[in-house]
Amino acid sequence: MRWTRTLISTLRDDPQEAEIASHKLMVRAGLIRKLSGGLYTFMPLGVRALQKVAQIVREEMNRAGAQEVLMPALQPAELWERSGRLAAMGPGMFRLKDRQERLMTLGPTHEEVVTELLGGEVSSYRQLPCTVYQIQTKFRDEIRPRFGLMRAKEFIMKDAYSFDTSLEAADASYQAMYDAYTRIFKRCGLFARAVEADTGDIGGKWSHEFMVLADSGEDGVIDCPACGYAANQERAERMSEVRSQKSEVGSEESEALLMSEVATPDVRTVDELVKFFSCAADRFTKTLIYVADGKPVAVLVPGDRDLNEHKFKRLLGCKKLELADDATVRQVTGAPVGFAGPVGLTIPIYADQSLNGAAGRITGANKADTHVKNISLARDAAVTAFEDLVIVGDGDACPLCGKPMQMKRGIEVGHVFKLGTKYTEAFDARYLSAEGQRELMVMGCYGIGVTRTLQAVIEQSHDADGIIWPVSVAPFAVTLLLLDPKDEAVCEVVDTLERELEAQGIEVFTDDREERPGVKFKDADLMGFPIRVVVGAKGLAKGGVEIKLRTSKDIAIVPVADAAAEIIKRMSNDY
Ligand code: ATP
Ligand code: MG
């Protein structure tokens, strides 16, 4: 392909709204153009790279035995009503009406459509297992679309769904997808890590996210270098030491001391308490009042820790969990916000497991402008259950081996999830078993953000000058810089090289613009093609063409006659 015959333009400056490197580079290198917030056009180079990622995904899905289908993006809302998700999806789902005033949705995902489909198609156990997938546009009205393709309102997802006769059989389908994902990200040149992920209502260790580690990632990833445990921060657990009152700070006195009130006018937050009492934040116990499916509950966490709402929600098994409003706090505790404590509360109280046996603590007194000190949870409060409930962070003990864990940031590029019978029950999707019984199919669902994956490649592989494409997803493997477009001999060498390389199936992008060499070099680095070949009159006079890899500073001068063979050799050696 020749630059002068394509709709490709690079930009010198970063687009104003772009915050992360990959977003800036995608726009500057001419891969995408913004239409409006969260909506992007793929330009010719962008489409080529996107198709490469999609093709890798397709090949590995097919290899894993999944069958490609294509379902409508426009879906009757009635399907979502049947699964109970029409309300649950809230404003994140685009809704519209057709001319008959029928409510429709633009699919954010396809569990409903696929379960309805397979429920109709599968009648016998002989047709199972069955995994179908599609590569298709999804729509989500994200609260904050940002980072270019990373969080868009319209994006391309590969979504796969497995159907099995039993939980055990579903395990095998899950594993096949997990393995396919590992191969896909590797082939895209990505270092992606599978981490345990939150399973929402379903529970169990049944969900993994594939994370590309990057400082700009929106997800926290907790990683144990000692034993390999890794989890999304939403999900991550920690081992907390088992306490006895004896081991508590100041426990000697606190055991003997009864709790006593302290006047703390206007001292509400942990920071204010630390100043007022001049002691460490972990001596305080925070009491948070939540409302779970309409009922108030209290939860206690150490003063220096934050509650993980996902864990709390899972423990309660509730559908909706939200912080109580001021009026509810007042009603439940008899005090304004900032003075809640566990003593005397009549609502259920849950506590982080690190507080089991805690004594000598300071908490709110359920009375305005007052705290109590010398609290012993065992003695003074009625805690229903102690569970791991805090957000885990850097340095916390691994739940498996107890060694300190590290906190990293990651981009979720893929997600595999065992669904069980949640949807097949809702859609009564059954098969006839060998024994002649009508049984529910057991499902799994598996997503890859194809457009997000493409951008993650750039986020993980770039330098100050631009993108560094791996050959597998590069829009073109080779760029030929034609330095003297008016020089016939130079043009002839470029023509020949193009022909020789393309005959070998190698995609070549030729910069044939009337531009200074410096401009061409800069753009080649920005666009990041794996191999750069410079053809100019000066070089030819010196003995040949220059071959350079994007990943290295070394330049080789190669005689024209050997150039094509040398380029092919380097492509297979170095990538
Ligand atoms: P996130 O937590 O990032 O919002 P999600 O967990 O809601 O994502 P899934 O429903 O698991 O996403 O979708 C499967 C995959 O689709 C994700 O792993 C991600 O790669 C991609 N994806 C999800 N939302 C977006 C989006 N708004 N823009 C681009 N890709 C997305
Ligand atoms: Mg997800």
Side-chain angles (χ1 to χ4, degrees):
M1 190 182 277
R2 296 261 166 149
W3 188 317
T4 54
R5 285 176 227 156
T6 58
L7 187 64
I8 290 173
S9 57
T10 56
L11 307 177
R12 194 167 310 162
D13 297 316
D14 289 334
Q16 241 179 5
E17 80 280 5
E19 296 166 73
I20 61 173
S22 54
H23 183 193
K24 292 176 188 168
L25 288 172
M26 289 205 86
V27 177
R28 285 190 52 213
L31 300 166
I32 56 170
R33 288 289 179 258
K34 179 174 165 181
L35 175 64
S36 80
L39 299 176
Y40 291 88
T41 297
F42 279 81
M43 301 301 282
L45 286 182
V47 168
R48 291 182 76 100
L50 181 64
Q51 283 170 345
K52 300 244 165 119
V53 176
Q55 188 54 24
I56 290 173
V57 171
R58 185 172 275 122
E59 284 171 19
E60 295 301 338
M61 282 295 114
N62 293 346
R63 191 204 300 218
Q67 304 168 60
E68 186 163 4
V69 295
L70 187 55
M71 293 177 269
L74 188 61
Q75 312 175 358
E78 185 263 322
L79 284 181
W80 291 78
E81 231 154 53
R82 261 202 267 166
S83 69
R85 286 211 291 183
L86 190 60
M89 294 301 282
M93 184 157 74
F94 285 101
R95 293 150 206 251
L96 64 160
K97 284 195 174 150
D98 70 6
R99 62 173 77 205
Q100 269 98 37
E101 292 286 304
R102 252 198 341 161
L103 187 61
M104 311 289 287
T105 68
L106 286 177
T109 175
H110 276 70
E111 281 81 11
E112 282 77 2
V113 176
V114 80
T115 313
E116 166 82 351
L117 175 75
L118 272 280
E121 296 297 317
V122 173
S123 51
S124 154
Y125 71 96
R126 290 194 188 85
Q127 292 164 279
L128 299 175
C130 177
T131 300
V132 294
Y133 76 97
Q134 62 177 347
I135 296 175
Q136 191 222 31
T137 303
K138 296 279 186 279
F139 300 86
R140 294 186 183 181
D141 198 354
E142 297 281 358
I143 298 173
R144 211 176 149 214
R146 59 179 188 157
F147 299 158
L149 306 179
M150 292 288 189
R151 187 165 298 286
K153 286 188 169 174
E154 177 180 326
F155 59 97
I156 297 175
M157 197 202 283
K158 183 286 302 175
D159 45 329
Y161 305 89
S162 64
F163 292 81
D164 279 282
T165 54
S166 66
L167 280 175
E168 297 72 49
D171 279 345
S173 299
Y174 183 86
Q175 192 60 42
M177 284 294 121
Y178 184 104
D179 294 342
Y181 276 36
T182 307
R183 293 194 298 267
I184 286 167
F185 296 122
K186 189 156 177 242
R187 283 184 63 186
C188 290
L190 280 170
F191 302 100
R193 183 89 198 266
V195 308
E196 286 181 20
D198 195 40
T199 48
D201 305 340
I202 290 163
K205 289 194 172 178
W206 279 10
S207 168
H208 287 91
E209 283 166 353
F210 285 76
M211 293 285 189
V212 168
L213 297 181
D215 291 341
S216 64
E218 290 188 280
D219 287 276
V221 175
I222 303 293
D223 173 50
C224 174
C227 77
Y229 170 80
N232 185 320
Q233 195 174 28
E234 281 178 2
R235 158 98 203 177
E237 296 169 10
R238 66 166 177 158
M239 189 185 281
S240 32
E241 72 268 44
V242 180
R243 287 168 192 279
S244 69
Q245 290 202 8
K246 292 262 180 300
S247 71
E248 280 289 289
V249 208
S251 63
E252 298 291 302
E253 321 89 89
S254 62
E255 246 179 297
L257 286 172
L258 288 182
M259 59 177 184
S260 57
E261 287 189 357
V262 184
T264 51
D266 269 338
V267 179
R268 288 183 163 85
T269 65
V270 171
D271 283 349
E272 289 163 355
L273 284 164
V274 164
K275 268 202 207 113
F276 184 89
F277 283 94
S278 21
C279 62
D282 65 355
R283 291 298 301 281
F284 303 98
T285 296
K286 280 195 274 195
T287 306
L288 306 163
I289 311 293
Y290 273 83
V291 177
D293 290 343
K295 296 203 183 83
V297 288
V299 56
L300 313 180
V301 296
D304 59 342
R305 309 295 305 220
D306 290 314
L307 175 75
N308 181 330
E309 291 186 357
H310 299 274
K311 289 186 190 173
F312 191 36
K313 194 168 173 215
R314 217 179 313 141
L315 171 68
L316 297 175
C318 64
K319 286 212 159 54
K320 195 167 171 202
L321 180 73
E322 51 189 357
L323 257 177
D325 57 21
D326 290 8
T328 310
V329 172
R330 216 174 253 279
Q331 195 194 350
V332 167
T333 67
V337 172
F339 301 98
V343 183
L345 281 187
T346 53
I347 55 173
I349 304 173
Y350 297 87
D352 181 60
Q353 67 189 17
S354 65
L355 293 173
N356 202 350
R361 297 300 172 109
I362 299 167
T363 72
N366 296 326
K367 192 166 150 189
D369 294 334
T370 316
H371 279 75
V372 277
K373 61 180 189 179
N374 299 324
I375 290 262
S376 153
L377 282 186
R379 185 189 62 195
D380 304 321
V383 176
T384 307
F386 291 91
E387 293 283 343
D388 173 36
L389 288 174
V390 297
I391 296 177
V392 168
D394 228 9
D396 275 332
C398 171
L400 301 184
C401 75
K403 299 264 167 53
M405 299 189 287
Q406 291 171 355
M407 152 98 181
K408 295 170 178 164
R409 301 222 61 86
I411 301 163
E412 179 196 325
V413 284
H415 195 168
V416 292
F417 204 117
K418 281 189 217 173
L419 288 169
T421 54
K422 178 177 165 163
Y423 293 95
T424 50
E425 243 166 75
F427 287 85
D428 197 34
R430 293 175 186 270
Y431 67 96
L432 209 56
S433 72
E435 292 75 38
Q437 301 292 318
R438 288 192 72 237
E439 306 277 3
L440 288 173
M441 291 190 274
V442 181
M443 275 177 78
C445 68
Y446 317 92
I448 289 182
V450 178
T451 40
R452 186 184 282 185
T453 298
L454 173 64
Q455 192 173 322
V457 171
I458 299 174
E459 192 61 30
Q460 210 171 57
S461 183
H462 69 268
D463 62 14
D465 298 322
I467 301 170
I468 304 174
W469 286 114
V471 168
S472 59
V473 295
F476 292 89
V478 176
T479 183
L480 292 183
L481 306 194
L482 169 50
L483 293 194
D484 306 284
K486 296 217 168 78
D487 184 318
E488 263 183 42
V490 174
C491 289
E492 223 181 281
V493 171
V494 166
D495 283 347
T496 314
L497 265 181
E498 271 178 343
R499 238 181 300 118
E500 285 176 351
L501 290 170
E502 280 166 3
Q504 300 291 321
I506 293 169
E507 296 151 311
V508 182
F509 183 69
T510 302
D511 185 352
D512 58 341
R513 294 172 302 167
E514 299 273 353
E515 286 284 2
R516 283 177 292 114
V519 172
K520 296 192 176 191
F521 287 125
K522 258 201 149 47
D523 275 337
D525 279 346
L526 173 63
M527 294 157 107
F529 306 111
I531 298 183
R532 187 189 82 187
V533 181
V534 179
V535 189
K538 261 194 226 155
L540 290 182
K542 270 197 262 168
V545 302
E546 282 180 10
I547 301 179
K548 179 187 167 298
L549 301 184
R550 179 65 179 83
T551 49
S552 149
K553 292 218 166 340
D554 301 339
I555 294 174
I557 313 266
V558 179
V560 172
D562 305 335
E566 186 61 29
I567 291 165
I568 292 165
K569 194 173 110 200
R570 276 165 195 258
M571 268 182 66
S572 42
N573 279 358
D574 294 281
Y575 286 92

